[in-house]
Amino acid sequence: GTSWFGSPQLQLPRREVITMDHRLTHNPNLLRRLNRLFWELLRFVVPVLPLWLSVWWFDVAAHASAATSVPSAIAQVVFATFCVFLTLAMTVLVTKWLLLGKVKPSQHALWSCWASRWDFHYVIWERYGRGLLAQMDQTHLLVWFLRAIGVRIGKGCVLGEGFAQLVDPDMITLDDGCTVHALFQAHSFEDRVLKMDRVRIGRDATVARGAVVLYGAEIGDGSHVAAHAVVMKHEVLPPGRRYGGAPLVELQGPPPALPVPRPRGPILAERDPSLDVARGLAVLGMVWMHFVPADSGNAF
């Protein structure tokens, strides 16, 4: 009956416990089970779209190879590739708004239809969009997609890796000028209840690599959260201070400066005489093949 966190361990005396109907958490009726079965079986349909797009792409490439103009063939293949990527990304975007709509801070039982739809959309994003969007990390293209799917991103934000998939995009708010390389956990499953709440990163704040930000947290303007720190649920960090650790504590002094890379000197390596001989023989062979006629009568 107790809850602990961190190293050294910290007891959590006020863990929020939500009481819901057991028919939605532990003892679902037949209708709830059929609803869950439907969404679980729907996962078998997920590979169909990428498979169809792959077949279509190869068909376009085959027709392009028969084209008389090389630039035209290249243009067709590039256009087909763009269409494949765009279709997968738009499927993730449209599915989110059709299944979930505008998500607000809320609580949903495990066997509810909403939780099943939420889980299915996570699968769609992971299978269709994560690999593609990871190639657009730290670019404006990914920022545009995140804004379209519900993330609030201000001006001049610097986003690190890990934004290719956000489970709860509507819960994330990044104010102007912030630098973020965090792992967002804007939801949790506790006692078979899905809980989600907003996470806000203040103006000009910094959240370093590998830091975990739990739901309900608010990081004040100009604050600095060190790498691998953990911001607890509903924790509010005052502005202009430094924090680190798990659980979080205030750190003293200015944030550490980034290391200045030293210029690299020339790479010195000893030459291998055997490789030089092999290279010379290869050059002589190429000269022989190109400049000595095959019918010159020389016996080799």
Side-chain angles (χ1 to χ4, degrees), residues 249-267:
V249 295
E250 185 175 352
L251 305 177
Q252 301 299 323
L258 295 176
V260 179
R262 291 181 294 181
R264 304 173 96 187
I267 300 177

Side-chain angles (χ1 to χ4, degrees), residues 15 27 34 50 68 77 95 120 138 177 234 244 254 295 297:
R15 187 176 75 87
N27 300 312
L34 291 177
T68 57
V77 173
T95 304
F120 180 74
Q138 305 173 33
H234 301 293
D295 56 349

Side-chain angles (χ1 to χ4, degrees), residues 82-99:
F82 173 78
C83 289
V84 170
F85 289 161
L86 182 62
T87 301
L88 293 176
M90 291 303 298
T91 301
V92 175
L93 183 62
V94 172
T95 304
K96 186 267 179 184
W97 291 107
L98 289 178
L99 295 181

Side-chain angles (χ1 to χ4, degrees), residues 40-109:
E40 293 294 332
L41 291 178
L42 202 59
R43 299 185 183 206
F44 288 96
V45 185
V46 172
V48 172
L49 179 60
L51 180 60
W52 181 84
L53 290 174
S54 299
V55 173
W56 176 79
W57 186 92
F58 279 107
D59 184 61
V60 172
H63 284 81
S65 63
T68 57
S69 174
V70 175
S72 175
I74 295 176
Q76 293 180 43
V77 173
V78 171
F79 178 75
T81 305
F82 173 78
C83 289
V84 170
F85 289 161
L86 182 62
T87 301
L88 293 176
M90 291 303 298
T91 301
V92 175
L93 183 62
V94 172
T95 304
K96 186 267 179 184
W97 291 107
L98 289 178
L99 295 181
L100 304 177
K102 185 68 173 179
V103 181
K104 298 181 179 180
S106 53
Q107 300 163 353
H108 304 274

Side-chain angles (χ1 to χ4, degrees), residues 29-288:
N29 55 26
L30 178 60
L31 181 61
R32 297 292 178 182
R33 293 180 183 274
L34 291 177
N35 166 74
R36 187 74 183 186
L37 179 62
F38 168 78
W39 290 104
E40 293 294 332
L41 291 178
L42 202 59
R43 299 185 183 206
F44 288 96
V45 185
V46 172
V48 172
L49 179 60
L51 180 60
W52 181 84
L53 290 174
S54 299
V55 173
W56 176 79
W57 186 92
F58 279 107
D59 184 61
V60 172
H63 284 81
S65 63
T68 57
S69 174
V70 175
S72 175
I74 295 176
Q76 293 180 43
V77 173
V78 171
F79 178 75
T81 305
F82 173 78
C83 289
V84 170
F85 289 161
L86 182 62
T87 301
L88 293 176
M90 291 303 298
T91 301
V92 175
L93 183 62
V94 172
T95 304
K96 186 267 179 184
W97 291 107
L98 289 178
L99 295 181
L100 304 177
K102 185 68 173 179
V103 181
K104 298 181 179 180
S106 53
Q107 300 163 353
H108 304 274
L110 172 64
W111 289 90
S112 65
C113 183
W114 199 96
S116 298
R117 301 196 309 270
W118 173 87
D119 193 33
F120 180 74
H121 178 258
Y122 175 83
V123 175
I124 290 291
W125 195 339
E126 182 180 21
R127 299 303 181 188
Y128 288 1
R130 185 174 184 176
L132 165 65
L133 297 174
Q135 309 305 316
M136 298 188 295
D137 261 336
Q138 305 173 33
T139 68
H140 288 292
L141 294 176
L142 182 58
V143 172
W144 293 339
F145 180 86
L146 293 174
R147 285 173 174 163
I149 209 168
V151 184
R152 299 174 180 86
I153 304 177
K155 298 180 181 179
C157 295
V158 178
L159 307 184
E161 299 175 356
F163 281 88
Q165 183 180 21
L166 293 177
V167 184
D168 306 291
D170 293 291
M171 300 293 105
I172 309 300
T173 299
L174 309 177
D175 286 345
D176 296 345
C178 65
T179 301
V180 184
H181 200 165
L183 305 173
F184 290 101
Q185 187 69 28
H187 74 277
S188 69
F189 259 116
E190 302 174 31
D191 309 310
R192 298 195 176 187
V193 176
L194 171 64
K195 307 174 183 178
M196 57 181 61
D197 203 348
R198 302 192 187 281
V199 173
R200 175 183 170 271
I201 310 297
R203 182 188 299 268
D204 298 324
T206 298
V207 184
R209 182 185 184 94
V212 178
V213 184
L214 300 180
Y215 69 84
E218 182 173 345
I219 299 176
D221 297 346
S223 294
H224 183 281
V225 178
H228 306 292
V230 177
V231 185
M232 299 295 289
K233 296 186 299 183
H234 301 293
E235 191 166 13
V236 179
L237 305 184
R241 302 180 185 180
R242 292 182 57 234
Y243 305 90
L248 209 67
V249 295
E250 185 175 352
L251 305 177
Q252 301 299 323
L258 295 176
V260 179
R262 291 181 294 181
R264 304 173 96 187
I267 300 177
L268 303 178
E270 296 183 359
R271 297 182 66 88
D272 191 340
S274 61
L275 293 178
D276 289 339
V277 173
R279 294 189 190 98
L281 292 175
V283 172
L284 291 176
M286 288 187 289
V287 171
W288 179 276

